[in-house]
Each structure stands twice: as structure tokens, then as C-alpha cells.
Amino acid sequence: MTPADPCPSELRLVQLDAGEGAAPVAARAAAHVTGCRRCQARRAEIAAVRRQVAASSASPPSWLAPPARRSWRRRAVVPALAMAAALALVVVGWRGPGGIATDGGERRKGGGLVLTVYIHRDGAVVPGADGAPVFPADQLRFALSGAVGARYVAVLSLDGGGRASVYAPVDAGPLRLQLGGPRQLVPGAIELDDVIGPERLIGLACDRPIAVAALRARLEADRALPPPAGCVSAELTLDKRARVQP
Amino acid sequence: MPATLSADSRAALARLYRDHGYVVVLRGRRLLGSDAEAQELLHDVFDTLVQRAAAGESTPMDEPAAWLYAVATRRALTRIRDSSRRAHLLAAQLAPMLDGSPAASTGRAAELADLLAQLPADELRAIVHFHVDEFTHDEIAAQLGCSRRHVGNLLGRGRQALHALAGAIEEETHDAC
């Protein structure tokens, strides 16, 4: 491929950049680029995007990285499982009753937040739904969808003992996800402790950073959590049962 | 569907994300029209790959950039079908193939977008690869995993459908005058 040849496609330039493709084809494309200003500009654009993505994601998203042990644990000490190889991936999504979501205290039909849970148990994934049984040491991950745009998100829980917990964000800082398309996995995960009873999960997506500590306290005190202004919420309850010993 | 993701699979996908995630962003920008959409596509694609890996599907690693390019294109076009706004963006890029007919005008982009959303997936991919990406028939065949002859058939059918629409719109426009 010389400068007189037609310009290579974007795919060919990407492969040139990535060192892929048959050697003769790559050599012809490289020769063409050397003498073609348009293709030099296109190749420079590809390289710029590669650098930009590399800079903005120096490390892969948390759901691809090995899980941090502490993020899989909840307050109670439970036996460690072989978590390194485990990630729950069956998708079980649901909305509030009748597809109604709440928005700043107002109930709103359709298009509301959807909280999805992934349940990992004994090396496999089991599907769940609102009211599904879960057991101590089950591991849960969450995903959100339905709301639109970049939103601050959180997942809180109220367990059978009346204790509220913040499941996400797992770190101190606010957690922002781009919602609007398919479900977005919430970084981090939790491992259920041995408190038995209904486990209420509440997902929030807000326009502003969420004061999770204050909301956790309110949830524990009131046993309810109306979504703050500028937030949409979704809620579901899992039925946490004791494991039956064989 | 019981499924787990092995540590090896997770590490391989993390490498793919780090080294070649930019390919998805490139496709997102080109086909979906914005950085935000491109970032969503990036997440969408890797979310799907994680699910596939957990279900036991292997990820080809011979030519990861080319493979990811194909996966990203497929996902981007699926998103286009799901959104009339995105279909409008693609319609604008494809309008030149209709040779300046009324269907290519901004006012009639809605009809073109509708038709694009209705085209069979393979026909739409072939049309986009040829008219937007400037692929050769060989490259389209490699991306779609089919023969050159089939690529010719897909392009022929896709163009016929689009030109039929253009003709219908043109007649409609003349009738209106």
C-alpha cells in the first residue's frame, strides 16, 4: 500500500497501532501512512485516544480487578471463602412494586431506578428475586440502571437485627456512575454475616454527593429511608436464613 | 445459569481493558457521537465480556484489537437500534450514500434513522463498515466472519432497502409539491 493506494481503514490503522495483522499487509499500510497526511492525522488521533484512555483508567475498573478482601466482608467475622475466583454474574433485576420508583418523595411511574443483585454461593451463582433466600457467607454485588446521566450512587442495607450498613460506596469518597444505558456494576461487594432475618437493600442515585453516614443513621433510626430530594431509589428485600447443617 | 469468573479470566479481561479498551472508545466516539456514550459503551462491552467469560466462553486473544473492534461495533449498533437519537447520528453519517436525495436532508433524517433501526443486524454492520468505516469487502468479511460473496449480498440488500426508502421519500416530496 503506497500513498497512491486508497487510505487504509480505521481498523487497519488500529491494528497497525496494536501491532496486529499479517506482516505484508501491515507493511503496506505503514508505507502508505508515511506518505499520507490524512492517515498520519488519523493515526495520531488513534494514539491520542489510546493515551487518553490509559491515563483515565490507569487501573481496570474494580469489577475486573481482584476483589479487595475488606470490601467483601461485612461487620461480622465469617469464614473466608475462595473469593479470588468468584464473581457472581447472574443478573437478577427488579424495580419497586409495580414498576414505581420514588423521586424526592414523589412516586413516579416507569423509568425509575433498578437495583440488580448478583448472589454468589458455594462457588456458583444462584438467581434471586425480591424475597429470595440468602444465607450467611453469601456474597453479593449490586448494579444500578434506569436513572439517566452521571449520578452519585449508594447502596444501603437494614438487616434483621435492625442494624443499617452502607454497602456502597465501600470507600469514604462519593461514588459516581454513568447511568442511562445497561446496568452499571457498583464497585465492591459484600459478604453477608450471620444475622438472620429480612435484609432490606436500598439503592440510591442522586444529583449530588450522598451523605451516606447520615442516611445510614436515619435508616437505622426510622427503619425507613425516603429518598432525599434529587434522588431516586429502588428497594428490595432478601430473606436471610440460617444455613442448615448437614 | 451458574457461573463464576476464574482469576485467570479476570486477569485476562483486565489486560484487555487496559491495553485495548481504547478501541471500544474509538468505536463509541465514531458511531455514537460523544465521549460519554463511548465510556458507556466501554463499560457495556466489558460487562458483557465478563458475563461471557463467567459462562465459560473464551476470549480470542490472537488479535485482540481487531476482535474488540468487532465486538464494540456490534454493541454500538445495538445501542443505536435502541435509541432514535443515536440512529439520527448514524443516519447523518450515511446520508452521502443516498446522493443528496431528500432522504438525506436533515428534515427527513427521521425516516432514514427509522429504516436503519429496521435493517437486519448484519446488513447494518456491512453498510456501516463500508460507508462509514471505509472497509474493503475483505475486511468486512473478516469482521463479520463470512465470505466476500455474502458481504456483497448484504451490502446489496442494505443499499436496496435504503434507496427504496429514498425513492419513496422523493416521490412523497414531489407529491407534496
Side-chain angles (χ1 to χ4, degrees):
Chain A
M1 187 175 282
T2 66
D5 291 329
C7 292
S9 66
E10 182 185 60
L11 171 61
R12 188 70 67 212
L13 294 177
V14 163
Q15 288 192 285
L16 200 58
D17 195 64
E20 292 181 5
V25 176
R28 284 173 65 86
H32 174 92
V33 171
T34 304
C36 176
R37 286 188 178 178
R38 175 180 179 247
C39 287
Q40 286 168 10
R42 294 165 73 206
R43 199 173 178 195
E45 183 192 349
I46 291 169
V49 172
R50 177 165 46 74
R51 284 194 301 271
Q52 188 183 345
V53 172
S56 65
S57 57
S59 58
S62 58
W63 43 273
L64 278 176
R69 284 187 67 87
R70 69 180 180 81
S71 71
W72 288 90
R73 289 184 164 270
R74 207 179 142 194
R75 56 193 177 277
V77 177
V78 294
L81 295 183
M83 276 307 304
L87 178 63
L89 283 164
V90 164
V91 178
V92 187
W94 56 91
R95 296 168 188 272
I100 296 174
T102 52
D103 188 347
E106 293 181 6
R107 291 173 76 80
R108 177 165 67 78
K109 286 187 180 176
L113 191 66
V114 179
L115 176 62
T116 298
V117 68
Y118 303 83
I119 307 171
H120 175 258
R121 178 185 306 145
D122 299 334
V125 173
V126 292
D130 197 19
V134 291
F135 302 93
D138 280 358
Q139 295 145 352
L140 308 181
R141 286 200 66 175
F142 309 101
L144 294 168
S145 58
V148 176
R151 310 292 289 268
Y152 292 93
V153 303
V155 178
L156 290 91
S157 155
L158 185 67
D159 71 12
R163 180 165 178 177
S165 303
V166 176
Y167 285 169
V170 293
D171 300 317
L175 174 60
R176 200 161 184 239
L177 294 180
Q178 183 71 36
L179 302 176
R183 64 193 175 281
Q184 291 280 3
L185 281 166
V186 176
I190 60 100
E191 185 170 295
L192 294 175
D193 64 8
D194 53 3
V195 176
I196 305 306
E199 180 92 14
R200 285 176 57 199
L201 300 169
I202 299 165
L204 288 170
C206 303
D207 297 334
R208 291 184 289 271
I210 303 169
V212 287
L215 291 183
R216 190 206 67 77
R218 189 190 306 171
L219 175 61
E220 192 163 292
D222 300 346
R223 304 182 70 82
L225 188 62
C231 296
V232 290
S233 72
E235 181 173 336
L236 61 93
T237 301
L238 301 175
D239 179 14
K240 186 137 69 97
R241 304 172 182 174
R243 280 183 185 270
V244 177
Q245 298 299 325
Chain B
M1 183 178 66
T4 57
L5 185 64
S6 72
D8 285 349
S9 294
R10 191 199 304 269
L13 286 175
R15 273 198 306 278
L16 187 67
Y17 184 96
R18 187 184 57 239
D19 297 341
H20 300 290
Y22 74 95
V23 175
V24 181
V25 174
L26 273 173
R27 293 311 281 154
R29 285 183 177 180
R30 171 64 66 98
L31 296 177
L32 302 175
S34 75
D35 274 346
E37 296 267 15
Q39 289 299 327
E40 277 193 33
L41 182 68
L42 179 64
H43 196 100
D44 182 14
V45 163
F46 275 86
D47 188 15
T48 303
L49 295 183
V50 167
Q51 292 181 57
R52 285 186 188 171
E57 288 184 37
S58 60
T59 300
M61 289 296 174
D62 295 345
E63 295 199 333
W67 180 78
L68 207 50
Y69 196 96
V71 172
T73 301
R74 235 177 2 251
R75 296 297 295 181
L77 293 180
T78 299
R79 291 170 75 90
I80 284 169
R81 287 167 182 280
D82 293 342
S83 159
S84 61
R85 185 179 61 78
R86 297 188 191 109
H88 275 73
L89 286 170
L90 186 60
Q93 293 191 66
L94 285 171
M97 72 174 280
L98 294 176
D99 301 327
S101 75
S105 70
T106 310
R108 308 312 295 261
E111 287 93 338
L112 181 55
D114 283 347
L115 185 71
L116 289 176
Q118 291 167 30
L119 279 184
D122 278 355
E123 285 179 26
L124 180 59
R125 283 183 70 194
I127 290 277
V128 167
H129 281 322
F130 191 81
H131 290 282
V132 177
D133 300 327
E134 302 175 26
F135 276 20
T136 63
H137 283 214
D138 280 337
E139 287 175 319
I140 299 173
Q143 282 279 293
L144 268 58
C146 64
S147 67
R148 286 185 82 250
R149 172 189 283 267
H150 189 57
V151 169
N153 292 338
L154 290 172
L155 284 171
R157 286 201 298 268
R159 285 179 188 140
Q160 201 172 13
L162 291 174
H163 280 287
L165 171 88
I169 291 173
E170 202 149 6
E171 281 176 22
E172 209 177 287
T173 307
H174 287 151
D175 289 348
C177 295

